[in-house]
């Protein structure tokens, strides 16, 4: 093995060549390359068989033989392409290449018909890449940076382009998001220092925010659109006004790092950094969307077996009556149909009375969705799952917290605060992971009619 | 697996605790811990057996089952402790912890009697750690830095302490080694930025140096010992005097990274950096010791079958006669005994005539040692092996090139220039690795009586 | 004087207080403050009289007495407020305060009726401040920085806001101006490191540019207005295409530094920096506006004594005839009136034939304006004066080089290349300063009918 | 003046030439150059006379003429060489050149016989340079840096070489002085960023130190002399042990900046920096030498009019008797002679009993020296004057606080704590500067027999 490890000079130039060729391939050619890779440079099945048999027959021959046989078996199970990935990782820019390669693999997987015979091989390739990247993208290699208006334009442009939760509308908007009363944190990686891998936007506020508009002030932005007029004088932060840190957006930017969790670490380090500056802050919370709530509601409504009427799952009798009074005066269409229609068009918000009537049932249904809908025992909603796993609790639902079209379409305008009680996160996290226990506040449980006795679901 | 990957909050604090406990263990306790680790958190043999049998019986059941069975088998072969190492690597300072852990493992291995039943398990642990560290310590993660007198004292102190080849004698000496006409390069790693992982000392000279004294000027140093007198005015480099870059010392500092080759990359990047500054430099060479030459010579001499006389392997008849005339005038002891004696005491250097008589045979023998002594087909001498593998050629032996006690004891004062012809390194490297071809200059082959026909060993 | 220099502790806090009060004054209050300052803390005239008399009577009493008397006289002539400025300069941010204070003084001067009795005192204050600032803003304290897309957003926003010559239209435009084939240099000062004091925009081109549109591509910009679409992939510079460095915009940003020349130094350092990167570049030139040319032309036309006709100063007989043919077919208004009208409205550009007819006379008139119009013996045009003083020569006029409204209004679209022949700048500069000699190229002199004999005006 | 200010291109190269020539002159040639400079490029006396007469005759002609005449007079009083200094200051490295030039001027002054006719001219040159440098070396241009073992070797070598108060003995010693429980601060200047202009050594201790040995531990140092053995593991600071910040050494490094006070600012900024890190520290004090105390004592003793006996100024009757008993048992020499002798040889320290007998009188005499000896009304001792002017009080004398030969020779081993009560420094400073009031503690006044009534000298 001295020899193999050492042919580095010529291997390096060959590897570089391969990478530069791959980068110029078209989408379909890339797929062909990946297929070729898994079929010809994966695991040699017959060699594995041979080694497995050897191993089984070595059992009687003492520890040393057994370990040797295990070693051989392990070797035979290692796909050839892992050696190639090792060489690529050693190149400058190689790690980024592998991140992007995995993006291509994931895309190929999503395009493959599942019964294709090659699917398991591509899945194995995906797993190999994920395991490798997960070793490289561990917290020890990540660097926390605070991004401000003094950061590079290049970094700020990327921050802006990657912001998916609440899109940035102009450079004036962007300046506000990294300015006073805001903390924008990123993780960068030593192998691609100019790339923000995860981005966390934080607002420093007097209390836990109930609406995204209070943080991302759209009215204000219009003034800023005239980019090249001098922007207003910098506001100076007054520490006396800062009692809460509200995480209002967290984004992972690299599709190729799917499944490699870095957000948790970023939140932890952000909390540390905020505490170092403001030791007395005690309120840590998110202001999060509830993606999927409206779709879930539409689906549930459409499959309700009681037809035109609505089961008590959706509305109490009283609520039903009030809504019917309001909606059906001059209208033959059923309450259910009308709700379905208005949900689809987001028009219920225009009618203030209607909106008021919907508040209680929608908030209750959203609480149901977050608290009772499960996948493998854990919260179905991925945002809820992420924060519960980190040890947060579901603390409060906020009505009309995001009135943007995006907010209405994803969650009927409802947003949720996941609150981090620092001294409880470790135990919360453990109870959630081990026992699927969902920690929630009294006020939230109250929405579910569970307030006086602590949840024991 | 969602759940396992996510219990990060509590796992992190437990991992930290484990590490801090380990660091406080005494040497013997560490050994006990490592034994415990491999015996209880290694591979579960019976589980491997089960999986191996499953795998063999899955062969008929189609690709998908087979890949699944392979996956299970691979899992069963993964030692439990690798998970722990992953968690440690995620901690701040965790990578450094694992580097030091491997140092402990290597030390334990060196202390173990080889027939100990636990030895194979420790070896497996060592291999696991090496593979893991080799992923982290690849060139993509290393950062080239030039060290100068403007670098931190901390870095310079480490450079000085790690310099094993030609020990640094004072801060004045150190200042010269990072000053004008010198380039000191280090690789640092993003997870331990204050630690020089590999150190390369380079001298910029008018021609390829023939002696280490011309680079590390001991006479000059005495003046510098008065540390706190103002050091002499900085010499200013004159590019007109710079035609060669001579690598005169390269050291790896982390025992725990044994077997993970980074020196080659460092030399490559150093060459690039030198060329960027001095585009016309064409002479790249080392000035290297020949560790082991004297020991080899002593051994060969002592086992020479011709007893008191010396075979022609060592001396030609003419050389023998001259030496005998010189040595045995008043002395009954045989030439061989006297040579042995003087080699051991390094006293031959005191006698200028004798030294002159020894020059031709010692240079020839040293050439033999470098060119013909092999291990698994490659050069026995590790320094030669390193540079040949990188694509250098053996260019010149230099007589009395290192007259220090250390130089005499390791190689009778001989040093060698391995020269890097940039346009030929790739092909040289390949021919050495694939065909064990040793590239050497005419003048070197001449020492072996091979000059007119190119080597074809 | 030990005592005065040392009361630093309390003086500092008083000075700070004064500055913070001043900053909150309104415009009129600032003017009152400045009036109060010069009247009460300027020079004590009667004390000067006393010292002057002492001095005159000391002439007989030997060198020592004379020097003492001179010293006293000098002291009496030093306004009290200079001590205050010294204290302010010692504060953090104090230098910037004084720069802004001078801006206020200049504004006050521009508002004062010149016969106001206080005017000389304010002028003296202005001079004192200028002399002081000129000591602080000398090249030794300035730091050259190249601004790129990796510079801070804060810096780039300022670059954009300060760009007066060719206004920046969007962040996409800005990105191009600091991107490939561009070099944007700034001087910053150690006392205000975030402020670009002078900004120089440079284009790296294949030849000396003839039009600003080829550098600041307005067509291209429209595409970039969609700010948050990913900007196009970075173009990579190809050194083979780079033969010229064209300085197309230089701006001083601090009004308070009026009269303190830093642009010359910035150009010199920019040339050095470009040469370090591209040693073979030999073409250094500006692409400069000719501010004031159109106004001068309008004025000259309107005062031409020949009334409706035009003297040969403006048009040759042939030119006049051609223009008359073109313009007056169906028009009773005189050529002169029509030209005046079209110059005012910039409409001549719409008529391609007309524009063609105007080219020769306008180019000649512009050359006259640059070459013959003087102020105190030096070029009247301030841009020409700046570059001639630096040792450049007037190299080429470019027709329709800036077709923007701004370009038409200031110089009928004409731009000029001032070329820097590096080996000749020193002698050119000296000849211009000492003998008012204007260095110009053959092709430029040709416009004036002076081509075959070198200028000796 | 447009022309003069603008001949920058050729002026710059001439100025550079002049500087480089001056730097190569020998000491005597430099003196000749300076003489030539003041005689030929100083003030033109006859021109001053002319202007002074004009000025006096302008008095009747209104403000504007008067100011113009003043302006001319001021101009005529400005030495020509000040223009040269301005040009030099604009060069890179020019400010450092002027600092060194002033060093030469000061040296020349110290060598001149005071009655030399040229002396006043050289003094005027010195004053001009000092005023100019004082504008450049004001706090706004200074940058506070903390120096640690992570600072550059270059900086640390300079710190070590410039340390005059308690000389650094080895790199091990140096490492301790910038290590844990120490803060070493420097001021650097933007025009010479690698040069520490003022250096302040601070120890963080549990209480205000009574002896320099507890800070600069000479015993410890011997261990460190073996430079290249790994230095001991870094001690980690425990904030619980840190209650006091003791400034034990402050040095100005540039002779050419004599009389330009920067130490006060450095102490102020150091206090701020320490407070930012340890907000609860309340004890700020120096541990300072009393240079000149022994010389003063020797002088006073030798001129005491009572001859062999000693006046009560030196010893009380009781003290005299005890000392006589101790010293003169077997000795004919008078007490006075013996004390004089022992003071000169520093041998009194060897005799523990004697040392005990001397403690009370020496401490009292030292207090007298510090408190009552004056120069122009202020403390004669320059260290005392410096700290009193900064607003410190004389807090405590420490017996045998510096037993090194240097300490005995300068102050009989006594050191003094000047304590900074932060809330009182401003008022103390003012009272000292304006009324020469010396603030001192009860315990110090007690030494003078003044303890119960606050000083009103």
């Amino acid at each position: 093995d001295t020899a193999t490890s050492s042919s580095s000079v010529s291997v390096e130039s060959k590897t570089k060549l391969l990478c530069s060729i791959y980068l110029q391939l078209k989408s379909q050619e890339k797929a062909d390359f990946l297929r070729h890779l898994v079929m010809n440079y994966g695991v040699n099945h017959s060699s594995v068989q041979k080694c497995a048999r050897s191993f089984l027959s070595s059992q009687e021959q003492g520890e040393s033989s057994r370990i040797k046989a295990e070693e051989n078996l392990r070797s035979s199970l290692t796909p050839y392409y892992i050696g190639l990935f090792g060489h690529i990782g050693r190149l400058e820019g190689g790690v980024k290449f592998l991140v992007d390669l995995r993006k291509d693999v994931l895309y190929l997987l999503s395009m493959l018909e599942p019964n294709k015979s090659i699917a398991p091989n591509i899945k194995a390739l995906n797993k190999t890449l994920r395991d490798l990247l997960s070793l490289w993208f561990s917290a020890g290699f990540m660097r926390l940076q605070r991004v401000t208006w003094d950061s590079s334009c290049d970094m700020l442009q990327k921050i802006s382009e990657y912001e998916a939760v609440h899109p940035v509308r102009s450079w004036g908007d962007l300046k506000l998001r990294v300015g006073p009363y805001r903390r924008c944190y990123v993780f960068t990686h030593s192998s691609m220092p100019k790339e923000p891998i995860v981005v966390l936007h934080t607002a420093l506020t007097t209390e836990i925010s109930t609406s995204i508009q209070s943080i991302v002030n759209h009215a204000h932005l219009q003034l800023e659109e005239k980019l090249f007029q001098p922007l207003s004088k910098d506001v100076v932060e007054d520490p006396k006004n800062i009692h809460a840190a509200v995480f209002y957006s967290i984004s992972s930017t690299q599709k190729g790092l799917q499944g490699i969790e870095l957000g948790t670490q970023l939140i932890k380090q952000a909390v540390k950094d905020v505490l170092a500056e403001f030791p007395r802050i005690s309120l840590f919370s998110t202001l999060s969307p509830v993606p999927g709530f409206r779709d879930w509601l539409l689906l549930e409504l459409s499959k309700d077996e009681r037809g035109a009427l609505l089961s008590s799952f959706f509305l109490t009798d009283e609520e039903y009556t009030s809504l019917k009074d309001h909606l059906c005066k001059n209208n033959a269409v059923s309450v259910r149909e009308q709700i379905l229609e208005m949900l689809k068009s987001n028009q219920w918000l225009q009618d203030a009375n209607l909106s008021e009537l919907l508040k209680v049932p929608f908030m209750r249904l959203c609480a149901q969705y977050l608290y009772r809908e499960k996948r493998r025992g854990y919260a179905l909603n991925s945002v809820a799952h992420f924060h519960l796993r980190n040890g947060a609790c579901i603390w409060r639902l906020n009505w009309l917290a995001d009135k943007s079209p995006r907010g209405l379409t994803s969650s009927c305008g409802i947003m949720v605060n996941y609150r981090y009680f620092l001294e409880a996160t470790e135990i919360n996290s453990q109870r959630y992971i081990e026992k699927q226990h969902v920690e929630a506040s009294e006020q939230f449980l109250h929405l579910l009619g569970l307030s006086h006795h602590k949840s024991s679901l």
Side-chain angles (χ1 to χ4, degrees), chain A residues 202-271:
Chain A
T202 310
L204 303 178
T205 57
T206 50
E207 51 184 19
I208 295 177
S209 311
T210 59
S211 123
I212 192 65
Q213 274 76 17
S214 68
I215 296 175
V216 184
N217 190 342
H218 293 277
H220 192 43
L221 293 182
Q222 233 118 16
L223 297 173
E224 298 292 340
E225 297 297 350
K226 298 178 197 165
L227 272 181
F228 298 104
Q229 289 193 341
L231 297 178
S232 53
K233 284 269 168 188
D234 280 347
V235 179
V236 175
E237 281 178 2
D238 182 350
K240 285 198 299 297
N241 293 335
I242 296 178
H243 306 299
V246 178
F247 307 117
Y248 67 95
S249 170
I250 182 163
S251 316
S252 293
T253 67
Q254 307 292 310
K255 282 194 185 151
L257 294 178
Q258 197 179 86
I260 298 170
E261 183 43 60
L262 291 164
T264 303
Q265 281 296 328
L266 183 53
I267 291 177
K268 271 182 73 170
Q269 295 205 19
V271 166

Side-chain angles (χ1 to χ4, degrees), chain A residues 217-358:
Chain A
N217 190 342
H218 293 277
H220 192 43
L221 293 182
Q222 233 118 16
L223 297 173
E224 298 292 340
E225 297 297 350
K226 298 178 197 165
L227 272 181
F228 298 104
Q229 289 193 341
L231 297 178
S232 53
K233 284 269 168 188
D234 280 347
V235 179
V236 175
E237 281 178 2
D238 182 350
K240 285 198 299 297
N241 293 335
I242 296 178
H243 306 299
V246 178
F247 307 117
Y248 67 95
S249 170
I250 182 163
S251 316
S252 293
T253 67
Q254 307 292 310
K255 282 194 185 151
L257 294 178
Q258 197 179 86
I260 298 170
E261 183 43 60
L262 291 164
T264 303
Q265 281 296 328
L266 183 53
I267 291 177
K268 271 182 73 170
Q269 295 205 19
V271 166
K272 258 192 212 165
D273 194 79
V274 168
L275 277 175
E277 211 182 342
F278 305 98
R280 288 163 197 212
I281 281 194
S282 59
L283 307 173
F284 288 94
S285 173
T286 74
L287 180 64
S288 303
V290 193
F293 167 55
R294 195 192 64 155
D295 286 350
W296 171 84
L297 192 54
L298 283 170
L299 188 70
E300 293 295 319
L301 276 170
S302 67
K303 72 185 187 198
D304 189 24
E305 72 281 4
R306 288 181 57 196
L309 294 164
L310 278 163
S311 68
S312 63
F313 174 74
F314 293 105
L315 298 174
T316 63
D317 287 352
E318 206 175 340
E319 288 162 2
Y320 182 79
T321 313
S322 307
L323 266 170
K324 200 176 172 195
D325 286 357
H326 183 83
L327 289 168
C328 302
K329 275 179 204 158
N330 313 308
N331 201 329
V333 185
S334 74
V335 168
R336 170 200 169 106
E337 287 303 312
Q338 287 191 61
I339 292 181
L340 269 170
E341 199 49 48
M342 283 183 313
L343 270 177
K344 281 174 191 158
S345 65
N346 293 330
Q347 278 175 350
W348 55 269
L349 187 61
Q350 316 301 329
D351 177 342
N353 290 335
L354 174 59
S355 161
E356 194 53 35
L357 288 171
L358 289 172

Side-chain angles (χ1 to χ4, degrees), chain A residues 67 87 141 153 155 167 259 315 392:
Chain A
I67 285 178
H87 291 308
F141 291 87
C153 261
M155 177 60 78
L315 298 174

Side-chain angles (χ1 to χ4, degrees), chain A residues 310-439:
Chain A
L310 278 163
S311 68
S312 63
F313 174 74
F314 293 105
L315 298 174
T316 63
D317 287 352
E318 206 175 340
E319 288 162 2
Y320 182 79
T321 313
S322 307
L323 266 170
K324 200 176 172 195
D325 286 357
H326 183 83
L327 289 168
C328 302
K329 275 179 204 158
N330 313 308
N331 201 329
V333 185
S334 74
V335 168
R336 170 200 169 106
E337 287 303 312
Q338 287 191 61
I339 292 181
L340 269 170
E341 199 49 48
M342 283 183 313
L343 270 177
K344 281 174 191 158
S345 65
N346 293 330
Q347 278 175 350
W348 55 269
L349 187 61
Q350 316 301 329
D351 177 342
N353 290 335
L354 174 59
S355 161
E356 194 53 35
L357 288 171
L358 289 172
K359 177 178 178 181
V360 170
F362 275 18
M363 291 283 271
R364 184 178 64 239
L365 285 159
C366 188
Q368 302 262 21
Y369 167 68
L370 287 174
Y371 196 72
R372 298 220 167 101
E373 293 294 324
K374 305 287 180 179
R375 183 167 162 273
R376 302 188 192 168
Y378 296 102
L380 171 68
N381 182 272
S382 62
V383 178
H385 177 61
F386 173 76
H387 291 295
L388 290 168
R389 209 179 55 192
N390 292 342
C393 78
I394 310 182
W395 192 63
R396 187 173 66 194
L397 292 192
N398 302 288
W399 181 242
L400 300 186
D402 182 1
K403 294 193 265 190
S404 74
R406 169 183 290 258
L408 294 172
T409 300
S410 76
S411 60
C412 306
I414 297 173
M415 297 189 82
V416 54
N417 300 120
Y418 298 103
R419 185 155 167 195
Y420 285 78
F421 290 98
L422 299 187
E423 64 292 351
T425 49
E426 188 157 345
I427 185 71
N428 286 351
S429 170
Q430 213 166 351
R431 289 171 73 197
Y432 180 69
I433 287 159
E434 293 170 9
K435 305 183 188 163
Q436 284 97 45
H437 170 82
V438 170
E439 188 70 17

Side-chain angles (χ1 to χ4, degrees), chain A residues 56-102:
Chain A
L56 288 172
S57 64
S58 77
Q59 296 306 318
E60 321 294 276
Q61 298 159 11
E63 187 74 355
S64 184
S65 302
R66 200 163 57 183
I67 285 178
K68 186 77 198 150
E70 275 178 13
E71 183 57 39
N72 289 339
L73 184 51
R74 196 184 289 116
S75 266
S76 74
L77 283 160
T78 306
Y80 287 124
Y81 51 64
I82 214 171
L84 174 65
F85 298 160
H87 291 308
I88 294 175
R90 268 175 215 110
L91 297 180
E92 195 168 330
V95 172
K96 175 70 172 149
F97 180 92
L98 292 172
V99 169
D100 291 342
L101 186 71
R102 181 154 178 252

